Amino acid sequence: MGLLRPLITRTLAAATTALACLLPLPAAHAHSSSNAYLSLQPRGDALVLRADVHLRDADLALDLDTDRDGQVRWAEVSPRSAELLAWLRSGLALQAGDRACELQPIDLLASERSDGHYLSAEWTVACATPRPTGLALTYSLLFERDALHRALVKIEVPGAEGSAVLAPDRPQTVLLPEQPKTALQVFGHYAVEGVWHIWIGFDHILFLLSLLVLAPLTAQRRTAASRAVDWRPQPALRPALFDVLAVVTSFTVAHSITLGLAIFGVVSLPAVLIETVIAASVVLAALNNLLGGFSLKRWRLAFVFGLIHGFGFANVLLDLELPATQLAVALGGFNLGVELGQLAIVAVFFPIAWALRHTRFYQRGVVVGGSIGIALVGSWWIAERLGLIG
């Protein structure tokens, strides 16, 4: 590892300089997972269901980019309005009790969100009764194409405000329940969302693993006067567990602080900055493992970058439109879910790492090779989130 240290140091400096130069680019957009946005709201005496789907996803399904310039424009969308409306409608089903509800089209239009242009459609909900209870929505538009696709549902009907996330394994939600959700149900719902967000958040997972990979090892100086070190198997379990606890606790405290600040509107940062710095944290945490005696304390990295990861978690919650009347309950549930998701990852990773810590495979293949691989993945994410690559 000593031979790698000068190269890694220069690479780290170059990456930091490049990131500082690239962040101000106005055209850069943060990469986000594929999300659709659904809402139910009253309009006069009727209920209106709205669906917003990214034009990128619509293009993949229906090949809208006819001039092949890499951009979908309204001039390409408008002539196919009827086809697009039918496509959007095909992925939605509403049912009140055992009877299906009709969706009567109102309009098809373009809208814009922080991550790009969306195709938006609205329908009037026509059920047997004007304000049906037990109204259930089933969504299936893009799940077959993208297993990570999610539909974020917002209910804006007075007395039934709430939100939900639909996924391939849970494509249905009750929009107008017969009984309002209790605080415990809200807490449990958002706890599940927190666990799920960690498990599909590959950048969060790689950052955490980068910080934990050295926990089963201990640094041994090559000479008394040198900062060069070799990583040897940790002989005692207790120091290794303390190292893991320090990293996880620092990350938890940090992201809890900024998650709360962002949700309550105290601090707001641009999405492109948040997503890019999260990717940069993955790179820096991985490279830090290769710096030997010059490496930073990993629990400090966990705290500093955990502050930024908290803003990333907040963006997910803001998309979910937390219920105003139960905001603290929903926030607490989501935060607990994030912690449970993290602990599940640690519980799987650490015993394996501890068992393999004596092997060359772990010391060289996992620590060195794995850290280099994670740094490369993180660098790709930086370029992608800055819009430098498609």
PDB file of all heavy atoms in Angstrom, residues 236-259:
ATOM      1  N   ALA A 236      -8.527  -8.662  18.683  1.00  0.00           N
ATOM      2  CA  ALA A 236      -9.638  -8.653  19.653  1.00  0.00           C
ATOM      3  C   ALA A 236     -10.901  -8.118  18.994  1.00  0.00           C
ATOM      4  O   ALA A 236     -10.858  -7.191  18.188  1.00  0.00           O
ATOM      5  CB  ALA A 236      -9.269  -7.815  20.870  1.00  0.00           C
ATOM      6  N   LEU A 237     -12.023  -8.712  19.344  1.00  0.00           N
ATOM      7  CA  LEU A 237     -13.299  -8.315  18.748  1.00  0.00           C
ATOM      8  C   LEU A 237     -13.774  -6.961  19.257  1.00  0.00           C
ATOM      9  O   LEU A 237     -14.360  -6.175  18.499  1.00  0.00           O
ATOM     10  CB  LEU A 237     -14.353  -9.389  19.042  1.00  0.00           C
ATOM     11  CG  LEU A 237     -15.763  -9.137  18.499  1.00  0.00           C
ATOM     12  CD1 LEU A 237     -15.750  -9.022  16.969  1.00  0.00           C
ATOM     13  CD2 LEU A 237     -16.706 -10.261  18.940  1.00  0.00           C
ATOM     14  N   ARG A 238     -13.503  -6.671  20.527  1.00  0.00           N
ATOM     15  CA  ARG A 238     -14.065  -5.451  21.126  1.00  0.00           C
ATOM     16  C   ARG A 238     -13.634  -4.171  20.409  1.00  0.00           C
ATOM     17  O   ARG A 238     -14.483  -3.327  20.111  1.00  0.00           O
ATOM     18  CB  ARG A 238     -13.697  -5.395  22.602  1.00  0.00           C
ATOM     19  CG  ARG A 238     -14.328  -4.225  23.341  1.00  0.00           C
ATOM     20  CD  ARG A 238     -14.049  -4.315  24.832  1.00  0.00           C
ATOM     21  NE  ARG A 238     -14.636  -3.197  25.546  1.00  0.00           N
ATOM     22  CZ  ARG A 238     -14.560  -3.023  26.858  1.00  0.00           C
ATOM     23  NH1 ARG A 238     -13.936  -3.938  27.603  1.00  0.00           N
ATOM     24  NH2 ARG A 238     -15.118  -1.986  27.427  1.00  0.00           N
ATOM     25  N   PRO A 239     -12.340  -3.960  20.101  1.00  0.00           N
ATOM     26  CA  PRO A 239     -11.961  -2.733  19.383  1.00  0.00           C
ATOM     27  C   PRO A 239     -12.618  -2.627  18.012  1.00  0.00           C
ATOM     28  O   PRO A 239     -12.962  -1.528  17.569  1.00  0.00           O
ATOM     29  CB  PRO A 239     -10.435  -2.853  19.267  1.00  0.00           C
ATOM     30  CG  PRO A 239     -10.032  -3.789  20.346  1.00  0.00           C
ATOM     31  CD  PRO A 239     -11.153  -4.745  20.484  1.00  0.00           C
ATOM     32  N   ALA A 240     -12.779  -3.760  17.338  1.00  0.00           N
ATOM     33  CA  ALA A 240     -13.416  -3.740  16.023  1.00  0.00           C
ATOM     34  C   ALA A 240     -14.880  -3.318  16.139  1.00  0.00           C
ATOM     35  O   ALA A 240     -15.381  -2.510  15.341  1.00  0.00           O
ATOM     36  CB  ALA A 240     -13.311  -5.115  15.368  1.00  0.00           C
ATOM     37  N   LEU A 241     -15.570  -3.864  17.130  1.00  0.00           N
ATOM     38  CA  LEU A 241     -16.969  -3.488  17.328  1.00  0.00           C
ATOM     39  C   LEU A 241     -17.084  -2.017  17.728  1.00  0.00           C
ATOM     40  O   LEU A 241     -18.026  -1.325  17.306  1.00  0.00           O
ATOM     41  CB  LEU A 241     -17.609  -4.366  18.404  1.00  0.00           C
ATOM     42  CG  LEU A 241     -17.835  -5.830  18.028  1.00  0.00           C
ATOM     43  CD1 LEU A 241     -18.379  -6.609  19.222  1.00  0.00           C
ATOM     44  CD2 LEU A 241     -18.792  -5.936  16.836  1.00  0.00           C
ATOM     45  N   PHE A 242     -16.136  -1.535  18.524  1.00  0.00           N
ATOM     46  CA  PHE A 242     -16.139  -0.123  18.908  1.00  0.00           C
ATOM     47  C   PHE A 242     -15.948   0.763  17.683  1.00  0.00           C
ATOM     48  O   PHE A 242     -16.568   1.825  17.560  1.00  0.00           O
ATOM     49  CB  PHE A 242     -15.042   0.144  19.938  1.00  0.00           C
ATOM     50  CG  PHE A 242     -15.043   1.570  20.447  1.00  0.00           C
ATOM     51  CD1 PHE A 242     -15.945   1.976  21.415  1.00  0.00           C
ATOM     52  CD2 PHE A 242     -14.151   2.502  19.928  1.00  0.00           C
ATOM     53  CE1 PHE A 242     -15.962   3.298  21.872  1.00  0.00           C
ATOM     54  CE2 PHE A 242     -14.158   3.816  20.383  1.00  0.00           C
ATOM     55  CZ  PHE A 242     -15.060   4.212  21.356  1.00  0.00           C
ATOM     56  N   ASP A 243     -15.068   0.330  16.760  1.00  0.00           N
ATOM     57  CA  ASP A 243     -14.847   1.073  15.513  1.00  0.00           C
ATOM     58  C   ASP A 243     -16.139   1.150  14.705  1.00  0.00           C
ATOM     59  O   ASP A 243     -16.527   2.210  14.201  1.00  0.00           O
ATOM     60  CB  ASP A 243     -13.751   0.379  14.706  1.00  0.00           C
ATOM     61  CG  ASP A 243     -13.226   1.235  13.567  1.00  0.00           C
ATOM     62  OD1 ASP A 243     -13.729   2.359  13.375  1.00  0.00           O
ATOM     63  OD2 ASP A 243     -12.314   0.780  12.854  1.00  0.00           O
ATOM     64  N   VAL A 244     -16.827   0.020  14.587  1.00  0.00           N
ATOM     65  CA  VAL A 244     -18.105  -0.006  13.851  1.00  0.00           C
ATOM     66  C   VAL A 244     -19.120   0.902  14.525  1.00  0.00           C
ATOM     67  O   VAL A 244     -19.825   1.677  13.859  1.00  0.00           O
ATOM     68  CB  VAL A 244     -18.643  -1.455  13.774  1.00  0.00           C
ATOM     69  CG1 VAL A 244     -20.067  -1.463  13.221  1.00  0.00           C
ATOM     70  CG2 VAL A 244     -17.729  -2.314  12.910  1.00  0.00           C
ATOM     71  N   LEU A 245     -19.204   0.820  15.849  1.00  0.00           N
ATOM     72  CA  LEU A 245     -20.160   1.639  16.598  1.00  0.00           C
ATOM     73  C   LEU A 245     -19.868   3.125  16.399  1.00  0.00           C
ATOM     74  O   LEU A 245     -20.796   3.933  16.234  1.00  0.00           O
ATOM     75  CB  LEU A 245     -20.096   1.280  18.085  1.00  0.00           C
ATOM     76  CG  LEU A 245     -21.023   2.074  19.010  1.00  0.00           C
ATOM     77  CD1 LEU A 245     -22.474   1.808  18.651  1.00  0.00           C
ATOM     78  CD2 LEU A 245     -20.756   1.707  20.471  1.00  0.00           C
ATOM     79  N   ALA A 246     -18.588   3.509  16.397  1.00  0.00           N
ATOM     80  CA  ALA A 246     -18.219   4.912  16.230  1.00  0.00           C
ATOM     81  C   ALA A 246     -18.642   5.424  14.855  1.00  0.00           C
ATOM     82  O   ALA A 246     -19.182   6.529  14.724  1.00  0.00           O
ATOM     83  CB  ALA A 246     -16.711   5.083  16.417  1.00  0.00           C
ATOM     84  N   VAL A 247     -18.410   4.620  13.825  1.00  0.00           N
ATOM     85  CA  VAL A 247     -18.779   5.023  12.457  1.00  0.00           C
ATOM     86  C   VAL A 247     -20.288   5.148  12.323  1.00  0.00           C
ATOM     87  O   VAL A 247     -20.807   6.162  11.831  1.00  0.00           O
ATOM     88  CB  VAL A 247     -18.226   4.008  11.435  1.00  0.00           C
ATOM     89  CG1 VAL A 247     -18.855   4.225  10.061  1.00  0.00           C
ATOM     90  CG2 VAL A 247     -16.705   4.126  11.331  1.00  0.00           C
ATOM     91  N   VAL A 248     -21.021   4.126  12.745  1.00  0.00           N
ATOM     92  CA  VAL A 248     -22.479   4.122  12.583  1.00  0.00           C
ATOM     93  C   VAL A 248     -23.118   5.239  13.407  1.00  0.00           C
ATOM     94  O   VAL A 248     -24.032   5.929  12.937  1.00  0.00           O
ATOM     95  CB  VAL A 248     -23.051   2.744  12.980  1.00  0.00           C
ATOM     96  CG1 VAL A 248     -24.577   2.796  13.009  1.00  0.00           C
ATOM     97  CG2 VAL A 248     -22.577   1.673  12.007  1.00  0.00           C
ATOM     98  N   THR A 249     -22.633   5.437  14.639  1.00  0.00           N
ATOM     99  CA  THR A 249     -23.197   6.490  15.489  1.00  0.00           C
ATOM    100  C   THR A 249     -22.936   7.869  14.896  1.00  0.00           C
ATOM    101  O   THR A 249     -23.836   8.726  14.878  1.00  0.00           O
ATOM    102  CB  THR A 249     -22.605   6.409  16.905  1.00  0.00           C
ATOM    103  OG1 THR A 249     -22.878   5.120  17.464  1.00  0.00           O
ATOM    104  CG2 THR A 249     -23.195   7.483  17.798  1.00  0.00           C
ATOM    105  N   SER A 250     -21.718   8.113  14.416  1.00  0.00           N
ATOM    106  CA  SER A 250     -21.390   9.413  13.822  1.00  0.00           C
ATOM    107  C   SER A 250     -22.273   9.692  12.610  1.00  0.00           C
ATOM    108  O   SER A 250     -22.795  10.794  12.447  1.00  0.00           O
ATOM    109  CB  SER A 250     -19.910   9.442  13.415  1.00  0.00           C
ATOM    110  OG  SER A 250     -19.072   9.329  14.530  1.00  0.00           O
ATOM    111  N   PHE A 251     -22.439   8.686  11.770  1.00  0.00           N
ATOM    112  CA  PHE A 251     -23.269   8.852  10.576  1.00  0.00           C
ATOM    113  C   PHE A 251     -24.720   9.116  10.956  1.00  0.00           C
ATOM    114  O   PHE A 251     -25.386   9.990  10.391  1.00  0.00           O
ATOM    115  CB  PHE A 251     -23.154   7.607   9.698  1.00  0.00           C
ATOM    116  CG  PHE A 251     -23.840   7.721   8.367  1.00  0.00           C
ATOM    117  CD1 PHE A 251     -23.409   8.638   7.422  1.00  0.00           C
ATOM    118  CD2 PHE A 251     -24.920   6.906   8.055  1.00  0.00           C
ATOM    119  CE1 PHE A 251     -24.030   8.743   6.184  1.00  0.00           C
ATOM    120  CE2 PHE A 251     -25.551   6.998   6.826  1.00  0.00           C
ATOM    121  CZ  PHE A 251     -25.106   7.920   5.884  1.00  0.00           C
ATOM    122  N   THR A 252     -25.205   8.375  11.966  1.00  0.00           N
ATOM    123  CA  THR A 252     -26.597   8.521  12.410  1.00  0.00           C
ATOM    124  C   THR A 252     -26.860   9.923  12.965  1.00  0.00           C
ATOM    125  O   THR A 252     -27.840  10.581  12.588  1.00  0.00           O
ATOM    126  CB  THR A 252     -26.928   7.465  13.477  1.00  0.00           C
ATOM    127  OG1 THR A 252     -26.831   6.170  12.901  1.00  0.00           O
ATOM    128  CG2 THR A 252     -28.326   7.679  14.023  1.00  0.00           C
ATOM    129  N   VAL A 253     -25.977  10.370  13.856  1.00  0.00           N
ATOM    130  CA  VAL A 253     -26.161  11.694  14.462  1.00  0.00           C
ATOM    131  C   VAL A 253     -26.132  12.781  13.390  1.00  0.00           C
ATOM    132  O   VAL A 253     -26.982  13.684  13.372  1.00  0.00           O
ATOM    133  CB  VAL A 253     -25.068  11.955  15.523  1.00  0.00           C
ATOM    134  CG1 VAL A 253     -25.107  13.402  15.986  1.00  0.00           C
ATOM    135  CG2 VAL A 253     -25.247  11.008  16.705  1.00  0.00           C
ATOM    136  N   ALA A 254     -25.183  12.675  12.467  1.00  0.00           N
ATOM    137  CA  ALA A 254     -25.028  13.711  11.444  1.00  0.00           C
ATOM    138  C   ALA A 254     -26.232  13.784  10.520  1.00  0.00           C
ATOM    139  O   ALA A 254     -26.796  14.860  10.290  1.00  0.00           O
ATOM    140  CB  ALA A 254     -23.750  13.459  10.643  1.00  0.00           C
ATOM    141  N   HIS A 255     -26.651  12.633   9.971  1.00  0.00           N
ATOM    142  CA  HIS A 255     -27.763  12.709   9.013  1.00  0.00           C
ATOM    143  C   HIS A 255     -29.089  13.025   9.700  1.00  0.00           C
ATOM    144  O   HIS A 255     -29.986  13.615   9.088  1.00  0.00           O
ATOM    145  CB  HIS A 255     -27.846  11.455   8.142  1.00  0.00           C
ATOM    146  CG  HIS A 255     -28.458  10.244   8.778  1.00  0.00           C
ATOM    147  ND1 HIS A 255     -29.766  10.186   9.179  1.00  0.00           N
ATOM    148  CD2 HIS A 255     -27.947   9.025   9.031  1.00  0.00           C
ATOM    149  CE1 HIS A 255     -30.032   8.989   9.654  1.00  0.00           C
ATOM    150  NE2 HIS A 255     -28.948   8.264   9.588  1.00  0.00           N
ATOM    151  N   SER A 256     -29.210  12.691  10.993  1.00  0.00           N
ATOM    152  CA  SER A 256     -30.430  13.052  11.724  1.00  0.00           C
ATOM    153  C   SER A 256     -30.541  14.573  11.873  1.00  0.00           C
ATOM    154  O   SER A 256     -31.637  15.137  11.786  1.00  0.00           O
ATOM    155  CB  SER A 256     -30.443  12.388  13.102  1.00  0.00           C
ATOM    156  OG  SER A 256     -30.456  10.983  12.993  1.00  0.00           O
ATOM    157  N   ILE A 257     -29.396  15.231  12.091  1.00  0.00           N
ATOM    158  CA  ILE A 257     -29.389  16.692  12.241  1.00  0.00           C
ATOM    159  C   ILE A 257     -29.882  17.359  10.959  1.00  0.00           C
ATOM    160  O   ILE A 257     -30.808  18.175  10.977  1.00  0.00           O
ATOM    161  CB  ILE A 257     -27.974  17.186  12.600  1.00  0.00           C
ATOM    162  CG1 ILE A 257     -27.587  16.744  14.012  1.00  0.00           C
ATOM    163  CG2 ILE A 257     -27.896  18.714  12.488  1.00  0.00           C
ATOM    164  CD1 ILE A 257     -26.127  17.002  14.348  1.00  0.00           C
ATOM    165  N   THR A 258     -29.266  17.027   9.829  1.00  0.00           N
ATOM    166  CA  THR A 258     -29.624  17.717   8.581  1.00  0.00           C
ATOM    167  C   THR A 258     -30.962  17.247   8.026  1.00  0.00           C
ATOM    168  O   THR A 258     -31.649  18.018   7.358  1.00  0.00           O
ATOM    169  CB  THR A 258     -28.517  17.532   7.532  1.00  0.00           C
ATOM    170  OG1 THR A 258     -28.155  16.146   7.448  1.00  0.00           O
ATOM    171  CG2 THR A 258     -27.291  18.348   7.881  1.00  0.00           C
ATOM    172  N   LEU A 259     -31.335  16.010   8.313  1.00  0.00           N
ATOM    173  CA  LEU A 259     -32.662  15.551   7.889  1.00  0.00           C
ATOM    174  C   LEU A 259     -33.740  16.400   8.543  1.00  0.00           C
ATOM    175  O   LEU A 259     -34.673  16.885   7.878  1.00  0.00           O
ATOM    176  CB  LEU A 259     -32.843  14.074   8.258  1.00  0.00           C
ATOM    177  CG  LEU A 259     -34.208  13.435   7.990  1.00  0.00           C
ATOM    178  CD1 LEU A 259     -34.559  13.517   6.515  1.00  0.00           C
ATOM    179  CD2 LEU A 259     -34.218  11.977   8.458  1.00  0.00           C
TER     180      LEU A 259
END
